[in-house]
Amino acid sequence: MKKFFQFIFPVFACHMLMAQPKEYYKQVDQIVWVINDLDAVLKGWSNLGFEGITPGESFTTSGQEYKGKKVDIKMKTAFMNFGGKAITLIQPEKGKNAYYDFLKKHGDGAMVLMHRAPSLEEINREVERMAGLGVNVLQRGSFQRGSATINYVFFDTQKQGKYVLGIYGGAEVPAGYLNTPNALNMTFSQFAFAIKDPAPVSAFWKKLGFPELEVTHSESWDKEYYGVPSDFQMDLGWQRHGKIVYEWCIPLKPPTVYADHIKNHGEGIQHFGMNVADIDKAIAFMTSKGFKISQSGGWGEKGKKGSGRFAYVDTESIGGETIELLWNFRE
């Protein structure tokens, strides 16, 4: 019996260590957003008052590794400050790479949530940890940004986890860049996903060391779908891991923007939550720019502390994602 425990304890300890979450996963440093027409998307967000947008730039990253094979990737990229969250926009050329394959399968949309690892050594250790948990590398490589070398890894988590998990090391996002304003002073507050069944998704991320989903039923009032009163129903899976909440939206009774996203793009990142000081002003601004409110309502006891309102803006035409305006009642 003693020999049994001498054998089994190191094995058990090893599995426990492999499942431990990494501290850097508590902060998403960048979102990689893949699109067909970079210029049109940049023009659309600029029209909505986002000032932290860089011009598109074409370049080739050579010697990258995609599904274990060396590839050169041609693309056009730009960067955008999205209410305090850095976004890398990529328009890939046709070829064998993660960006183009995502675009073919899902269309325009956010593909990767990137986390900054402290070193290349840590990136390699995380690759080994993930391999031990049955998760392969989808794409990895390095490229130059100014004088800095950026090393990155995309893990093959889209099928089971509904988005691509990424880590990188190298040049940081300049702090001042994230202070560039937008017309409504919106601040990024939430990553949100549309999925069919929360149980396997929760189990997958738990295996990798992330928190399980806490599923609740959403009770909303004044519900509308594209301006028409509606009785849409959904469950919400909450994953609290760090500063920003992950919200997993499970459509129950149509019509909902979540079911729309699953139909048009498949399960995955569906919207980004943005806090606003005045939701009516924000809605008026968005609609004046030609964008419709696709779904709206409120939560909590109307007009009381703890309540609030939400309004989804149909920005599908400028990148395949929806923006959710969020407003909290304050006495």
Side-chain angles (χ1 to χ4, degrees):
M1 183 63 71
K2 181 178 179 181
K3 289 183 177 180
F4 171 79
F5 280 107
Q6 287 176 336
F7 168 77
I8 199 67
F9 182 77
V11 174
F12 175 75
C14 179
H15 281 283
M16 288 293 290
L17 184 61
M18 289 170 63
Q20 291 299 308
K22 300 291 183 173
E23 189 67 24
Y24 48 79
Y25 284 137
K26 293 183 178 181
Q27 172 65 35
V28 175
D29 284 70
Q30 293 189 49
I31 303 162
V32 177
W33 195 334
V34 184
I35 47 181
N36 273 297
D37 189 339
L38 180 65
D39 292 337
V41 169
L42 295 180
K43 182 178 179 181
W45 289 107
S46 179
N47 184 45
L48 282 177
F50 286 82
E51 297 183 15
I53 300 176
T54 66
E57 177 185 1
S58 297
F59 71 101
T60 300
T61 54
S62 302
Q64 311 301 290
E65 186 179 298
Y66 176 58
K67 294 185 176 180
K69 296 182 179 180
K70 292 293 184 180
V71 296
D72 294 340
I73 304 174
K74 295 182 178 181
M75 54 188 164
K76 189 174 182 180
T77 69
F79 303 95
M80 178 167 65
N81 171 27
F82 211 60
K85 188 59 60 180
I87 290 181
T88 300
L89 295 157
I90 295 179
Q91 178 189 317
E93 289 191 17
K94 185 177 180 180
K96 293 182 178 180
N97 59 76
Y99 313 118
Y100 185 71
D101 279 1
F102 180 90
L103 200 57
K104 284 194 302 181
K105 186 173 183 179
H106 301 282
D108 286 9
M111 170 184 157
V112 190
L113 299 186
M114 294 293 289
H115 307 265
R116 179 177 167 78
S119 65
L120 179 58
E121 291 74 21
E122 172 55 30
I123 290 174
N124 291 330
R125 281 194 294 269
E126 183 63 357
V127 168
E128 291 182 9
R129 186 184 81 92
M130 286 292 192
L133 294 169
V135 176
N136 296 321
V137 170
L138 175 65
Q139 182 171 297
R140 72 178 302 174
S142 64
F143 57 91
Q144 292 295 126
R145 183 178 294 167
S147 60
T149 299
I150 310 298
N151 299 288
Y152 74 93
V153 171
F154 297 159
F155 292 107
D156 195 1
T157 56
Q158 176 71 46
K159 184 176 181 180
Q160 292 178 280
K162 310 310 176 186
Y163 71 92
V164 175
L165 179 70
I167 55 176
Y168 81 103
E172 296 184 65
V173 177
Y177 175 73
L178 297 180
N179 293 329
T180 50
N182 57 74
L184 296 171
N185 292 318
M186 294 185 288
T187 56
F188 193 100
S189 65
Q190 188 183 86
F191 300 95
F193 313 80
I195 59 173
K196 298 176 183 177
D197 183 356
V201 176
S202 182
F204 175 75
W205 288 113
K206 180 185 177 183
K207 181 181 75 169
L208 302 190
F210 289 76
E212 295 180 80
L213 274 60
E214 300 176 16
V215 179
T216 62
H217 181 69
S218 176
E219 296 291 346
S220 305
W221 39 264
D222 287 355
K223 294 183 289 186
E224 291 188 356
Y225 176 81
Y226 283 97
V228 178
S230 177
D231 188 31
F232 56 78
Q233 299 289 330
M234 66 276 195
D235 282 343
L236 300 175
W238 302 100
Q239 196 180 29
R240 293 175 174 84
H241 186 55
K243 296 180 179 179
I244 295 181
V245 173
Y246 290 27
E247 180 187 47
W248 299 81
C249 305
I250 307 106
L252 300 177
K253 182 180 178 182
T256 67
V257 292
Y258 323 120
D260 293 344
H261 185 92
I262 293 170
K263 179 181 177 181
N264 295 327
H265 299 279
E267 296 174 280
I269 301 172
Q270 183 264 331
H271 74 263
F272 299 119
M274 306 287 276
N275 289 333
V276 294
D278 186 331
I279 194 167
D280 292 314
K281 178 181 177 181
I283 289 171
F285 176 80
M286 292 291 182
T287 55
S288 74
K289 296 294 184 178
F291 293 94
K292 296 180 179 180
I293 303 303
S294 54
Q295 186 171 299
S296 59
W299 70 85
E301 188 177 352
K302 190 174 182 179
K304 300 291 184 179
K305 189 175 181 179
S307 67
R309 290 170 57 193
F310 62 89
Y312 292 91
V313 184
D314 185 353
T315 49
E316 174 80 18
S317 63
I318 52 172
E321 296 289 340
T322 291
I323 299 304
E324 182 184 24
L325 306 174
L326 293 165
W327 173 82
N328 292 280
F329 177 85
R330 292 179 175 86
E331 292 181 322

